[in-house]
């Protein structure tokens, strides 16, 4: 059965979800840096692990749904973003099981920073006119695949694309890890 009729609804749901996550992320950054976690530290302490595990596993599942179920071939830059998120899904579960509150957030920040930088570059790459993207710093198709990094598989509201979702997710994970580190130092 052809399930492509679900694609516009799934794209819309992911776009709205990413905008909601972007607002939460901005609020958390303001609280963390301006108010030193005064308003949300207690909430983050209670929900950080379930949220972290849900976001990372959800990201992996959604990337696999689009590539394996809907058949969209990930481009080179998408693969780099996957490389940054896939280990976090497994490691977050393991870190939760062993209660690693000190080392895992540091590794998570490193992976998320890498993923964030690639996602922002990918977003800018897609936003450039087609002629200027061919002279980019790192052209796509460096891996020999037939996926083009400039193609927007998803484009909702005129600006929400996969790299946008990815950048928001990585920015959210970074602030979550920063809270985890600060809360662990307070013990």
């Amino acid at each position: 059965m052809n399930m492509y009729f679900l694609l516009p609804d799934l794209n819309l749901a992911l776009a709205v979800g990413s905008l909601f996550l972007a607002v939460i992320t901005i609020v958390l950054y303001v609280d963390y840096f301006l108010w030193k976690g005064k308003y949300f530290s207690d909430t983050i302490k209670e929900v950080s692990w379930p949220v972290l595990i849900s976001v990372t596993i959800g990201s992996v599942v959604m990337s696999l749904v689009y590539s394996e179920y809907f058949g969209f071939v990930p481009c080179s830059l998408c693969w780099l973003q996957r490389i940054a998120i896939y280990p976090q899904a497994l490691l977050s579960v393991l870190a939760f099981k062993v209660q690693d509150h000190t080392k895992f957030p540091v590794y998570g920040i490193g992976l998320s920073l890498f993923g964030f930088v690639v996602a922002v570059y990918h977003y800018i790459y897609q936003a450039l006119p087609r002629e200027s993207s061919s002279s980019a710093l790192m052209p796509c198709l460096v891996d020999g695949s037939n996926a083009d990094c400039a193609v927007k598989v998803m484009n909702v509201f005129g600006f929400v694309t996969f790299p946008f979702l990815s950048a928001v997710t990585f920015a959210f994970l970074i602030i979550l890890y920063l809270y985890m580190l600060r809360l662990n130092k307070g013990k």
Side-chain angles (χ1 to χ4, degrees):
M1 182 176 173
N2 188 347
M3 300 299 273
Y4 283 104
F5 70 92
L6 295 174
L7 201 54
D9 294 333
L10 182 58
N11 287 348
L12 180 62
L14 288 175
V16 170
S18 73
L19 294 175
F20 181 69
L21 187 62
V23 170
I24 291 171
T25 302
I26 292 167
V27 168
L28 290 177
Y29 271 94
V30 169
D31 179 56
Y32 184 86
F33 288 108
L34 293 182
W35 297 307
K36 307 298 182 211
K38 177 181 174 183
Y39 297 106
F40 294 105
S41 287
D42 292 338
T43 305
I44 295 292
K45 187 174 188 174
E46 291 179 27
V47 302
S48 61
W49 285 107
V51 168
L52 175 67
I53 291 169
S54 299
V55 168
T56 55
I57 290 176
S59 297
V60 169
V61 168
M62 281 294 99
S63 74
L64 291 173
V65 164
Y66 274 84
S67 63
E68 301 304 316
Y69 185 74
F70 290 119
F72 295 108
V73 178
C75 70
S76 304
L77 295 173
C78 290
W79 271 114
L80 290 174
Q81 292 164 72
R82 285 179 176 205
I83 288 168
I85 196 69
Y86 283 19
Q88 290 186 65
L90 175 63
L91 292 174
S92 63
V93 173
L94 295 174
F96 173 71
K97 287 288 189 190
V98 299
Q99 292 300 301
D100 180 1
H101 300 279
T102 55
K103 291 183 176 59
F104 171 68
V106 174
Y107 301 136
I109 289 171
L111 286 166
S112 294
L113 278 172
F114 171 75
F116 179 78
V117 168
V118 172
V120 168
Y121 176 81
H122 193 183
Y123 188 77
I124 293 168
Y125 184 87
Q126 285 185 340
L128 294 175
R130 195 76 167 158
E131 306 80 45
S132 61
S133 65
S134 63
S135 63
L137 178 64
M138 186 185 109
C140 197
L141 305 175
V142 293
D143 64 355
S145 74
N146 58 356
D148 185 357
C149 296
V151 172
K152 298 176 184 176
V153 171
M154 173 178 137
N155 190 10
V156 182
F157 307 129
F159 69 96
V160 179
T161 62
F162 274 122
F164 179 88
L165 266 68
S166 183
V168 168
T169 301
F170 285 123
F172 175 75
L173 290 173
I174 290 167
I175 193 63
L176 199 58
Y177 291 133
L178 288 172
Y179 268 102
M180 291 172 85
L181 285 174
R182 180 181 282 168
L183 292 170
N184 185 51
K185 285 182 183 175
K187 287 184 178 181

